[in-house]
Amino acid sequence: MRSARPDLPGHDIVLRDDRSALIDCAAYLDGVRVDTPSVAKAVALVRENTSATQAFVWVGLYEPDSAELESLSGVFGLHHLAVEDAINAHQRPKLERYDDMLFAVLKTVGYVQGETGGDCVETGEIMVFLGADFVVTVRHGDHCELARVRRRLEQNPDLLRMGPAAVVHAVADRVVDDYLSVSDEMQSELEDLEAIVFAESRSSDISRIYQLKRELIEMKRAVTPLAGPLRQLTTRRLVPTEMREYFRDVEDHLVRVREQVESSNELCNSVLQATLAQSNAIANQDMRKISSWVAILAVPTMIAGVYGMNFDFMPETKWTFGYPLIVGLMVTICALLYRGFRRNGWL
């Protein structure tokens, strides 16, 4: 089922049998899906139907290799630098223009259980190639599947009639919604940690606070850079005027997520500082207790050391009441020291 790489749009494209990167492909004519046996036939159908108000192809790929993506490059005229970025992944959120095509990178996030038992943020990428009559989405990572996005769009033909930009908006909206979901989960966990830190039991786990701080930083790296590309999309020629308000709405949601992440990060700093201060206070309290008992025990040790010296002329050694007097003196001094330390809160 595999064929050679095509050089012309009229050639067919067939991807791997064992693990095809092609998730879905369809042509959309005036907001209605039309299934085709191959990507090339979908492109031909779109370019033949010039009578359609809006016609485009949407190709969805998952972690393609270089041969598969380069075969699509021959059909859609994708720029080789954008193709290289889409293959390698691990890109920063951005929006680039190559001739008459836009290339956008969106960072996806998921909140999953880590190897150490706590939840952690996992990131992936969605690369979007946007042209006048096509949109190609390339997903890396296990998060933010686009099948539901495609089904929801297909149930809204009026939105699909706005062209490929509608697909980009739907993908960006789904990505930002996932940001909000993950941010809410992290904020809830942070509030639980805050309650534990200030509980009477003081059973706070400082390692988990450090881990959550690390995840918030990772989340911030995914959310913050996306604001620029979303803002730029509202000024691009490939984005219709009626779609720009949709992108501004997504940008508003992103601002909300960014503010929530920043406030959670600040709260995490406060919780971490409070935990460290609490740990230092507990350590100081333990040191005070140890120092108090050392001071109390030092009194009988000192007196016993003085009267344990082997001198012949020591006045109290020949006295009948010398021993009980010295023992009583040691007990009295120790009791006074104990009372003083208790009164000052050291014991």
Side-chain angles (χ1 to χ4, degrees):
M1 190 178 171
R2 187 171 183 172
S3 66
R5 168 184 164 182
D7 294 323
L8 297 173
H11 286 66
D12 201 358
I13 298 176
V14 185
L15 303 180
R16 303 185 284 188
D17 281 336
D18 55 344
R19 183 180 174 275
S20 176
L22 182 63
I23 302 300
D24 201 352
C25 171
Y28 294 89
L29 306 178
D30 288 334
V32 179
R33 175 181 176 125
V34 179
D35 290 314
T36 57
S38 67
V39 175
K41 285 185 168 51
V43 173
L45 177 63
V46 164
R47 294 177 179 174
E48 288 170 0
N49 282 269
T50 56
S51 60
T53 304
Q54 186 58 254
F56 66 94
V57 178
W58 180 3
V59 179
L61 302 174
Y62 176 70
E63 296 185 354
D65 59 21
S66 58
E68 291 168 332
L69 201 52
E70 287 174 3
S71 66
L72 286 179
S73 175
V75 173
F76 295 113
L78 308 180
H79 197 278
H80 69 278
L81 292 178
V83 170
E84 183 179 349
D85 287 345
I87 294 172
N88 296 330
H90 303 294
Q91 304 294 320
R92 180 183 175 87
K94 62 180 180 179
L95 179 67
E96 300 285 350
R97 177 182 176 183
Y98 297 100
D99 298 327
D100 57 349
M101 182 199 76
L102 294 179
F103 175 68
V105 178
L106 310 176
K107 206 82 171 175
T108 61
V109 297
Y111 207 42
V112 300
Q113 186 172 10
E115 297 179 355
T116 58
D119 293 334
C120 64
V121 174
E122 282 190 356
T123 60
E125 293 85 24
I126 293 180
M127 287 77 170
V128 182
F129 298 87
L130 175 64
D133 59 358
F134 71 89
V135 57
V136 178
T137 55
V138 180
R139 182 168 64 92
H140 291 267
D142 298 328
H143 314 293
C144 196
E145 294 183 1
L146 299 180
R148 285 185 296 173
V149 175
R150 188 185 287 263
R151 288 195 297 268
R152 189 171 66 249
L153 268 178
E154 290 172 353
Q155 294 171 0
N156 190 353
D158 291 337
L159 191 58
L160 274 175
R161 288 191 187 99
M162 296 184 184
V167 176
V168 180
H169 162 263
V171 172
D173 189 49
R174 170 64 193 279
V175 169
V176 174
D177 284 346
D178 285 351
Y179 287 169
L180 185 59
S181 176
V182 172
S183 178
D184 287 340
E185 291 184 45
M186 297 178 73
Q187 188 173 29
S188 177
E189 183 175 357
L190 182 58
E191 290 172 355
D192 292 340
L193 284 174
E194 183 185 19
I196 293 174
V197 167
F198 294 104
E200 294 182 359
S201 61
R202 295 181 179 178
S203 57
S204 59
D205 186 359
I206 194 169
S207 63
R208 180 55 193 146
I209 300 174
Y210 269 117
Q211 182 179 354
L212 186 58
K213 172 69 175 176
R214 213 165 42 240
E215 305 309 327
L216 283 168
I217 293 174
E218 186 69 23
M219 184 72 177
K220 191 174 181 180
R221 289 173 180 169
V223 172
T224 303
L226 187 57
L230 282 179
R231 193 175 304 113
Q232 294 172 26
L233 277 170
T234 61
T235 64
R236 297 299 183 178
R237 179 178 56 82
L238 290 174
V239 178
T241 304
E242 58 270 18
M243 280 299 304
R244 294 177 182 178
E245 61 184 23
Y246 288 88
F247 283 104
R248 282 193 289 268
D249 181 67
V250 176
E251 186 182 358
D252 289 340
H253 293 170
L254 183 67
V255 170
R256 176 188 169 190
V257 175
R258 185 174 59 188
E259 291 176 351
Q260 186 170 328
V261 170
E262 290 176 353
S263 63
S264 296
N265 189 40
E266 292 176 1
L267 180 58
C268 189
N269 288 335
S270 300
V271 171
L272 182 58
Q273 292 173 3
T275 304
L276 293 174
Q278 193 179 75
S279 300
N280 291 334
I282 294 173
N284 290 336
Q285 186 176 359
D286 293 339
M287 288 300 299
R288 286 197 299 266
K289 288 182 179 180
I290 295 172
S291 301
S292 300
W293 284 113
V294 169
I296 291 172
L297 295 176
V299 172
T301 301
M302 181 187 66
I303 296 176
V306 170
Y307 285 96
M309 293 186 294
N310 296 321
F311 288 105
D312 292 333
F313 301 100
M314 295 183 70
E316 294 83 2
T317 55
K318 303 298 182 181
W319 188 28
T320 304
F321 300 102
Y323 176 75
L325 178 63
I326 295 301
V327 172
L329 179 65
M330 289 190 291
V331 172
T332 300
I333 295 175
C334 290
L336 291 174
L337 287 173
Y338 180 81
R339 180 183 178 185
F341 288 133
R342 287 280 294 181
R343 181 177 297 175
N344 292 328
W346 284 43
L347 289 175

